[in-house]
């Protein structure tokens, strides 16, 4: 899988002759396994019919800000929250001026104003329009606000003139988009991640499990890979495909996860415990299927060993990051875990609600370290993973330089 695999890309298309190239870009994004939703301005539809993008993206194209059905289904706020990346190609001079001014009078500009995810622009326009001081000023201002600008290229233009202003080739736009997910800060370092649930066998057919899907841990593995790390993923039973390039170790029970993680931890620089490990396991596993009886039965449960605490107590522990899944008192319990288990960082998520946590596409994390904290608001797990890996990279580097000054 590539860097865009499973990333949610909202492709914005504004009015200009280069709009036809967005069709090839949509095809390339889909071929890279990105999920694509297309938003077109009305001017863009004068150049290419929305049906083209519906066929290529596999989803209806979003056009209007005040469409009653669209607002109730996936309006501008929902679209802005859905995306890991908003990519506007082609971005016209007029649209960039609107972005700079903060206008929100159509769907695309409104969702850009509401967006908290990165926005990348691939400008396309006549060379004189590109060179115009107003456009230069707008682009400079947008860059200073964090917008990424891909291109434009130099060459023949549709109007017959030649110069800088051509839309980058779709394959170049794709490569530029990929770099946004390639952080690079962990090149040469190794990350061990646990993910998914554990299953504690009661008899040959029954077990105690939990609702973890593995999505959070697998997203972290993908982001750590994108950051350049060598990644080992110790996974409980899930139905996800491991990212290509990750070393996958499959386990089932908490005891097997303990052996795998504690055995591997000393040879890794960072450990992230995203798995939902059972705290209790049946004291005895019945050899045969337990037969139904009239009376109630009870199963004795014993405590499992704490993997995270064991890793943090190794003589040469990796930078150790725990998760805390709490229904209440999130902050207090998370801080207690940080201190009691001697962790470097703890990422707390609220569970038991429809949004976020177990088996959900999105998550929000309150992250604590010894002398600080940070909040990652509700977003797709792929984006939360990228942001958490960035935080971990920063604090891991700071700890290393404090331990090895000079
Ligand atoms: O998998 P998903 O569906 O995407 O859901 C993600 C998630 C909600 C499972 C994930 O974000 C998460 O919160 N993982 C930790 C779940 C958990 O078991 O939390 P806890 O508060 O019970 O445990 C705290 C920490 O101790 C965790 O890092 C856990 O891995 C670790 N632990 C727990 C028990 C044990 N025996 N050994 C451990 O290492």
């Amino acid at each position: 899988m590539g860097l865009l695999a499973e990333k949610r890309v909202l492709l914005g298309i504004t009015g200009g002759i280069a709009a036809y190239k967005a069709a090839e870009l949509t095809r390339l994004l889909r071929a890279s396994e990105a999920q694509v939703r297309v938003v077109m301005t009305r001017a863009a539809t004068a150049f290419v019919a929305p049906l083209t993008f519906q066929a290529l993206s596999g989803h209806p194209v979003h056009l209007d800000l005040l469409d009653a059905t669209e607002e109730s289904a996936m309006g501008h706020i929902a679209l802005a929250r859905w995306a890991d990346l908003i990519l506007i190609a082609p971005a016209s001079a007029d649209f960039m001026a609107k972005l700079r001014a903060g206008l929100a009078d159509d769907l695309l500009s409104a969702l850009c104003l509401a967006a908290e995810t990165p926005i990348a622009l691939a400008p396309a326009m006549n060379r004189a329009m590109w060179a115009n001081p107003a456009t230069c000023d707008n682009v400079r201002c947008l860059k200073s606000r964090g917008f990424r600008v891909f291109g434009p290229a130099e060459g023949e233009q549709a109007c017959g003139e030649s110069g800088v202003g051509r839309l980058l080739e779709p394959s170049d736009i794709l490569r530029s988009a990929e770099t946004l997910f390639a952080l690079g800060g962990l090149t040469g370092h190794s990350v061990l991640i646990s993910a998914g649930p554990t299953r504690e066998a009661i008899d040959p057919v029954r077990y105690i499990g939990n609702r973890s899907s593995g999505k959070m841990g697998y997203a972290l593995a993908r982001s750590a890979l994108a950051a350049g790390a060598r990644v080992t993923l110790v996974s409980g039973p899930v139905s996800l495909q491991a990212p290509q390039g990750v070393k996958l170790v499959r386990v089932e029970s908490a005891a097997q996860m303990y052996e795998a993680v504690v055995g591997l931890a000393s040879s890794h620089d960072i450990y992230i415990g995203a798995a939902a490990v059972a705290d209790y396991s049946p004291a005895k596993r019945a050899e045969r299927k337990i037969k139904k009886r009239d009376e109630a039965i009870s199963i004795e449960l014993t405590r499992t060993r704490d993997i995270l605490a064991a890793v943090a107590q190794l003589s040469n522990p990796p930078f150790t990051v725990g998760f805390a899944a709490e229904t209440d008192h999130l902050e207090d319990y998370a801080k207690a875990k940080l201190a009691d288990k001697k962790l470097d960082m703890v990422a707390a998520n609220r569970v038991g609600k429809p949004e976020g946590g177990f088996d959900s596409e999105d998550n929000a994390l309150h992250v604590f370290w010894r002398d600080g904290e940070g909040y990652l608001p509700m977003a797709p797990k792929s984006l939360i993973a990228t942001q958490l890996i960035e935080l971990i990279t920063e604090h891991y580097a700071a700890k290393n330089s404090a331990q090895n000054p000079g």
Side-chain angles (χ1 to χ4, degrees), residues 324 326-336 348 350:
E326 312 290 354
T327 52
D328 52 286
H329 299 98
L330 193 72
E331 186 168 340
D332 293 345
Y333 289 149
K335 282 182 172 166
R350 202 169 284 286

Side-chain angles (χ1 to χ4, degrees), residues 76-154:
H76 65 286
I77 301 290
L79 276 168
R81 297 289 167 272
W82 173 85
D84 292 325
L85 170 68
I86 298 175
L87 173 60
I88 303 178
S92 66
D94 174 69
F95 192 75
M96 291 193 295
K98 279 175 86 169
L99 283 182
R100 190 213 174 147
L103 297 184
D105 59 354
D106 64 12
L107 178 59
L108 190 55
S109 55
L111 74 86
C112 286
L113 200 60
E116 292 168 328
T117 42
I119 303 181
L121 308 167
M125 67 198 72
N126 166 271
R127 54 151 195 95
M129 291 169 80
W130 175 251
N132 189 292
T135 307
C136 295
D137 201 27
N138 289 338
V139 171
R140 217 176 2 254
C141 172
L142 289 171
K143 280 184 178 170
S144 74
R145 292 182 196 164
F147 286 73
R148 316 295 170 101
V149 179
F150 303 157
E154 189 173 356

Side-chain angles (χ1 to χ4, degrees), residues 194 211-216 273-279 304-308 322-326 337 341 349 351 357-360 363 381:
S194 71
R211 295 179 191 279
S212 170
S213 62
K215 285 176 194 159
M216 192 69 245
V277 188
D279 290 320
T304 56
R305 286 180 294 174
D306 194 308
I307 303 168
L308 199 54
F323 266 71
E326 312 290 354
K337 275 181 180 140
K341 298 194 190 186
N349 42 195
V351 295
F358 284 84
D359 199 16
S360 146
N363 208 4
K381 280 181 178 166

Side-chain angles (χ1 to χ4, degrees), residues 31 42 78 105 133 135 139-140 167 201 203 208 211 225 297 315 323 338 368 378 383 390 392:
R42 280 287 161 194
D105 59 354
T135 307
V139 171
R140 217 176 2 254
L167 184 71
D203 69 12
I208 299 172
R211 295 179 191 279
L225 263 187
I297 62 163
S315 54
F323 266 71
L338 182 75
F368 300 91
M378 192 66 72
L383 180 64
E390 274 175 0
I392 292 171

